[in-house]
Amino acid sequence: MSVLDDKSFAIMVLVAVVMTGIITPIVTTIYKPARKFVPYKRRTIQRTKPDSEFRVLVCIHTPRNVPTIINLLEASHPTKNSPICVYMLHLVELTGRASAMLVVHNTRKSGRPALNRTQAQSESIIKAFDNFEQHVGCVSVQPLTAISPYSTMHEDICNVAEDKRVAFIIIPFHKQQTVDGGMEATNPAFRSINQNVLANAPCSVGILVDRGLNRSTRLTANQVSHHIAVLFFGGPDDREALAYAWRMSEHPGINLTVMRFLPGDDAAESTVEASCERNDPRVLTVVTDSDREKQLDEDYINEFRARTSSNDSIVYTEKAVNHGEETVAAIRSIENIHDLFIVGRGQGMISPLTAGLTDWSECPELGAIGDLLASSDFSAAVSVLVVQQYFGMGQGDALVTPDSPSQPNEQFGNFCQVMNRRTPPRGQAMFHSQP
């Protein structure tokens, strides 16, 4: 005995086809996952208006990362005109057969007792940021937890940044300071996450090298004075580093020193000549972009000096150096009087001022200066923030970073000829803070 006759079966098939034809366009209209990838303009600190909300995504591996990042956020000077919206993302490795997930927490809701160590860590981290939000004005915090494999964790970070339209991502360095002042790796996977974020981030990125283990002073009190230095060599990453330090300089507890490095009379041969001798494919970048970048640097430096000329807490100096050794000597001369160095990643930049500094590089993803400051041979008391500026094409609807595939070489012909002036990709940098 058949359950359905031919007529009933035909009607059901017809209804299924009609419903599919109706529901599919309706669902497509209502739910558009591509919407979260709609371009937004404020992907960098430099392009974020001083009287608008400043959105930051901070990534946390362990409670150890919390004090320094909170201290850095306090120093970022939240105000009524420019409040800071913090998206705190606790990164947890996915183990076992569980499914990856993104958890949004309610900071005001007291949860049940922690079931395991990971949950206890999450609650501790969330409580610290909740306390930060309640005691610092003009700050809002949205805690989240990303549970996923380390191999794809950067996707969670980038997706949250894109979805929340943040201007800056702060991620901890993969090394931590030891008792004797050295630097040791905590988890090799953290480095891969950082590298992937640098290559794929939809906004500017800062990698925080936390070397302020003995610094617990908070910046909320006006009488507390912290000394921050920006090492400016030029390029988009350095301008982004200066933009962030400029914002911080408005805080009454911050003293800022901007040291701009310029080539001395005896500087090494020009970058273009050196690149041509090495057949360096980046020579086109240098030739076509050099004058434009120098002009952008000059304009931004001049604007910064003009607008901060009456601020006694800001010091601007210029230092002429001829090679990497003089650069290192100049940095060492000020290392003991500052708490935090903010530097640009400088990826893709070729300069005689940093010549030789990458020969023994341990972490090239930090750039020449960032790697120097984060090394065990440097000061054990100064934290470092390495910044990479987001660079998109057009209105920022496409991401291009220094680690992204560049234009095919055959488009450029002879690298030592300045014919087709096309701008290649650039990117962002990293950052470091204090507790």
Side-chain angles (χ1 to χ4, degrees):
M1 179 179 178
S2 60
V3 178
L4 295 175
D5 56 25
D6 292 342
K7 183 178 180 180
S8 299
F9 179 75
I11 292 175
M12 291 184 65
V13 171
L14 181 61
V15 169
V17 172
V18 172
M19 291 296 292
T20 301
I22 295 175
I23 292 175
T24 300
I26 292 177
V27 172
T28 303
T29 302
I30 297 176
Y31 176 67
K32 293 183 178 180
R35 281 180 178 173
K36 69 178 182 178
F37 299 108
V38 172
Y40 64 98
K41 294 182 178 180
R42 296 170 187 173
R43 294 175 181 264
T44 70
I45 303 171
Q46 190 176 349
R47 296 187 64 178
T48 299
K49 297 180 180 179
D51 58 350
S52 64
E53 183 181 59
F54 180 42
R55 296 190 176 188
V56 184
L57 172 63
V58 297
C59 301
I60 305 291
H61 289 294
T62 68
R64 181 189 179 105
N65 305 139
V66 173
T68 294
I69 288 182
I70 286 182
N71 202 20
L72 181 68
L73 293 172
E74 290 186 36
S76 301
H77 194 51
T79 64
K80 290 182 179 180
N81 290 331
S82 182
I84 297 180
C85 180
V86 180
Y87 296 95
M88 187 282 295
L89 186 63
H90 182 204
L91 305 175
V92 178
E93 182 186 15
L94 178 67
T95 57
R97 298 183 178 180
S99 300
M101 63 180 69
L102 180 67
V103 181
V104 180
H105 300 277
N106 182 353
T107 58
R108 304 301 179 201
K109 183 177 180 181
S110 57
R112 289 172 289 187
L115 301 177
N116 51 50
R117 182 173 177 270
T118 300
Q119 186 176 348
Q121 279 195 348
S122 288
E123 292 182 358
S124 173
I125 293 169
I126 292 171
K127 184 177 180 180
F129 276 89
D130 187 24
N131 183 66
F132 167 61
E133 179 183 14
Q134 293 183 47
H135 291 83
V136 178
C138 307
V139 172
S140 60
V141 177
Q142 173 62 71
L144 308 97
T145 298
I147 305 174
S148 60
Y150 284 143
S151 59
T152 61
M153 193 167 282
H154 67 281
E155 296 178 5
D156 293 320
I157 298 172
C158 295
N159 288 338
V160 171
E162 183 84 33
D163 184 60
K164 303 302 181 181
R165 300 194 171 193
V166 304
F168 197 42
I169 299 174
I170 299 174
I171 49 180
F173 189 44
H174 71 278
K175 292 184 179 182
Q176 64 183 18
Q177 187 178 0
T178 59
V179 177
D180 60 1
M183 299 292 289
E184 66 177 6
T186 54
N187 188 329
F190 294 171
R191 183 180 188 183
S192 297
I193 294 172
N194 291 354
Q195 292 171 332
N196 288 329
V197 170
L198 287 171
N200 298 282
C203 61
S204 293
V205 180
I207 294 185
L208 176 61
V209 184
D210 183 3
R211 307 186 70 167
L213 298 182
N214 299 320
R215 300 179 181 276
S216 57
T217 326
R218 299 185 63 178
L219 286 165
T220 50
N222 290 355
Q223 68 271 22
V224 174
S225 179
H226 281 223
H227 298 268
I228 297 174
V230 174
L231 306 179
F232 191 95
F233 292 84
D237 294 347
D238 284 26
R239 293 194 295 271
E240 187 76 346
L242 179 57
Y244 188 47
W246 191 349
R247 179 186 178 96
M248 297 173 72
S249 69
E250 299 295 327
H251 193 291
I254 295 294
N255 288 326
L256 174 64
T257 297
V258 177
M259 177 176 282
R260 185 183 186 187
F261 290 82
L262 299 171
D265 295 336
D266 299 326
E269 61 184 348
S270 72
T271 308
V272 176
E273 293 176 353
S275 297
C276 288
E277 290 178 2
R278 297 192 304 266
N279 291 324
D280 192 333
R282 290 174 298 179
V283 68
L284 183 69
T285 304
V286 178
V287 173
T288 60
D289 260 2
S290 178
D291 292 340
R292 174 176 173 271
E293 288 297 334
K294 286 180 180 179
Q295 188 58 51
L296 290 173
D297 291 339
E298 287 294 335
D299 293 343
Y300 199 62
I301 285 288
N302 290 338
E303 180 185 2
F304 168 76
R305 296 184 67 183
R307 294 192 180 186
T308 61
S309 58
S310 60
N311 191 335
D312 295 334
S313 65
I314 298 177
V315 176
Y316 173 83
T317 62
E318 293 183 350
K319 184 72 175 179
V321 295
N322 297 297
H323 44 71
E325 291 184 6
E326 292 185 3
T327 299
V328 173
I331 296 174
R332 288 193 180 279
S333 68
I334 64 171
E335 64 175 311
N336 293 325
I337 60 176
H338 292 90
D339 308 313
L340 172 67
F341 279 124
I342 303 180
V343 300
R345 184 185 180 198
Q347 186 70 6
M349 300 293 292
I350 306 174
S351 171
L353 309 186
T354 58
L357 298 185
T358 59
D359 293 346
W360 305 99
S361 179
E362 295 181 2
C363 303
E365 68 270 18
L366 294 183
I369 303 300
D371 179 72
L372 168 70
L373 297 173
S375 67
S376 300
D377 297 332
F378 210 74
S379 172
V382 185
S383 295
V384 184
L385 177 63
V386 184
V387 181
Q388 173 179 285
Q389 186 180 67
Y390 167 82
F391 182 86
M393 300 180 65
Q395 295 299 319
D397 52 340
L399 173 65
V400 186
T401 73
D403 302 298
S404 304
S406 58
Q407 300 288 349
N409 292 344
E410 48 270 23
Q411 293 181 1
F412 299 139
N414 187 341
F415 291 119
C416 296
Q417 295 178 354
V418 189
M419 298 298 292
N420 296 322
R421 302 199 167 191
R422 302 185 63 177
T423 304
R426 319 187 87 94
Q428 315 177 17
M430 305 170 144
F431 136 27
H432 159 83
S433 150
Q434 330 177 29

